[in-house]
Amino acid sequence: MEKNNVYIIIINYKNYDDTKECIESLKHINDMGYHIVVVDNDSKDGSKQRLKENFENLIEVIENDHNYGFGIANNIGAQYAINKGATHILLLNNDTTVDPMFLSNLMKKINDQTICVPKILSYYDRNKVWYAGGRIDRIRGTSLHYGRFKEDSDFFSTEKKVNYLTGCCALIPVSVIDRIGLFGDEFFLYFEDMDLSIKCLYEGIEILYVPDSVIYHKEGKSSGGKKSKSTVYYANRNRFYIIRKYNRYFGLISHIYTYATRFLLYLYGIIDNNNYRIIKKAYGDYKSKKMGESNI
């Protein structure tokens, strides 16, 4: 039997403190072999040097020559790990900390046809759920987290199949990546995890929510929050894009809902003088098929 060889991929971009805390929490993983690869997205703030110095014997650092965004950076890290002989890739946001049993509990459930995802609680209030599995909302063209902002309870402690994985944390067999790939290059930020989830649905790959595996997430830290320009731009542009890419899956109602609600956001933005130009640019770039990184 092939020995499991797990590589944990963490993206760092000008965020030494959170990345450091994430790595520190990984030191306490329950007695199993693993490797940590930090992909630095050209931070230029000294954080990658500090990480290399402080975790010299624990991590491997890939130094990108540009900020490639979330999806491509994870792809780079995953390909590096696969070349090193990885059997499983664990995607992990740098603004998380982990329970010592989180990885071993995921590994108990993994197989060649399954991606496993943990219960994700709020870092700031560990009784509050951030993600207890999720689903793709085919009406609204977006995703929903089960239990979000609710008190954790036995209700969220049942293992189950779901159809949406969050890129915040997912354990993926390399055999699945060989079959369907990882993240699309076109997104830069946001909706690449929905894209992967839909590919799983099409190819018969199950997504299994494993509540015995627990991590803690600092929501909004890595992206700058819901109202940041980058969040508004990429979340809107990529939402238009993905319902077009999977037109048959989402259908006409999703298109009507998405266009109508984005138009209302644009009008509210004009009234509040807040981000309406960003929403207009997001739509314009989508129509012009300008994907990937954008100068916002």
Side-chain angles (χ1 to χ4, degrees), residues 6-10 19-29 32-38 50-62 80 98:
V6 181
Y7 274 73
I8 302 171
I9 310 299
I10 301 171
T19 304
K20 175 179 180 293
E21 187 176 10
C22 179
I23 296 170
E24 291 283 1
S25 74
L26 290 169
K27 287 182 178 181
H28 305 291
I29 289 178
M32 67 175 296
Y34 63 94
H35 308 269
I36 301 172
V37 176
V38 175
R50 294 172 69 189
L51 291 168
K52 289 167 69 175
E53 291 168 3
N54 290 341
F55 299 103
E56 181 179 2
N57 298 318
L58 184 60
I59 68 173
E60 302 170 65
V61 178
I62 297 174
Y80 172 87
V98 305

Side-chain angles (χ1 to χ4, degrees), residues 153-165:
S153 67
D154 291 342
F155 184 78
F156 302 116
S157 298
T158 301
E159 183 179 295
K160 59 186 175 183
K161 296 175 184 177
V162 298
N163 75 357
Y164 169 71
L165 66 87

Side-chain angles (χ1 to χ4, degrees), residues 75-286:
N75 291 347
I76 290 170
Q79 188 58 59
Y80 172 87
I82 292 168
N83 292 343
K84 289 280 190 173
T87 58
H88 298 80
I89 302 298
L90 189 285
L91 306 178
L92 184 65
N93 269 20
N94 73 323
D95 57 353
T96 62
T97 59
V98 305
D99 178 86
M101 296 293 292
F102 98 105
L103 183 53
S104 59
N105 286 340
L106 289 177
M107 288 297 295
K108 289 175 184 178
K109 302 294 181 177
I110 202 74
N111 62 58
D112 288 344
Q113 300 296 320
T114 302
I115 294 174
C116 289
V117 293
K119 177 187 288 185
I120 306 177
L121 301 176
S122 169
Y123 175 89
Y124 304 106
D125 183 348
R126 297 192 173 195
N127 292 317
K128 292 286 181 67
V129 172
W130 186 76
Y131 172 90
R135 70 176 177 88
I136 298 171
D137 188 332
R138 296 173 67 179
I139 300 298
R140 299 194 301 169
T142 187
S143 59
L144 297 176
H145 291 199
Y146 296 138
R148 193 165 188 176
F149 305 132
K150 294 184 178 179
E151 292 288 328
D152 191 19
S153 67
D154 291 342
F155 184 78
F156 302 116
S157 298
T158 301
E159 183 179 295
K160 59 186 175 183
K161 296 175 184 177
V162 298
N163 75 357
Y164 169 71
L165 66 87
T166 168
C168 182
C169 185
L171 179 64
I172 308 175
V174 167
S175 59
V176 169
I177 296 174
D178 288 341
R179 182 173 164 186
I180 66 173
L182 195 54
F183 291 133
D185 292 348
E186 67 268 39
F187 295 95
F188 189 77
L189 188 66
Y190 295 119
F191 280 86
E192 56 273 281
D193 48 7
M194 183 189 287
D195 181 68
L196 180 59
S197 299
I198 296 173
K199 288 193 292 185
C200 287
L201 181 67
Y202 281 5
E203 295 296 329
I205 303 298
E206 294 181 346
I207 302 170
L208 182 66
Y209 168 64
V210 184
D212 289 340
S213 175
V214 178
I215 71 168
Y216 307 95
H217 183 221
K218 305 170 186 175
E219 183 183 9
K221 286 294 293 294
S222 60
S223 62
K226 292 182 179 180
K227 293 185 179 180
S228 72
K229 289 183 178 180
S230 62
T231 297
V232 172
Y233 173 80
Y234 290 112
N236 282 283
R237 185 199 67 181
N238 294 346
R239 186 167 173 177
F240 284 124
Y241 169 78
I242 204 162
I243 63 170
R244 180 182 69 190
K245 180 177 181 179
Y246 298 105
N247 179 57
R248 290 186 178 180
Y249 178 74
F250 286 106
L252 179 61
I253 294 176
S254 179
H255 284 73
I256 294 172
Y257 180 92
T258 299
Y259 277 78
T261 54
R262 297 316 92 186
F263 181 66
L264 287 175
L265 282 177
Y266 174 72
L267 293 180
Y268 291 149
I270 292 175
I271 294 169
D272 294 338
N273 194 28
N274 182 34
N275 282 332
Y276 68 93
R277 292 186 180 89
I278 302 298
I279 296 172
K280 181 178 179 181
K281 176 175 172 55
Y283 177 72
D285 286 354
Y286 151 74

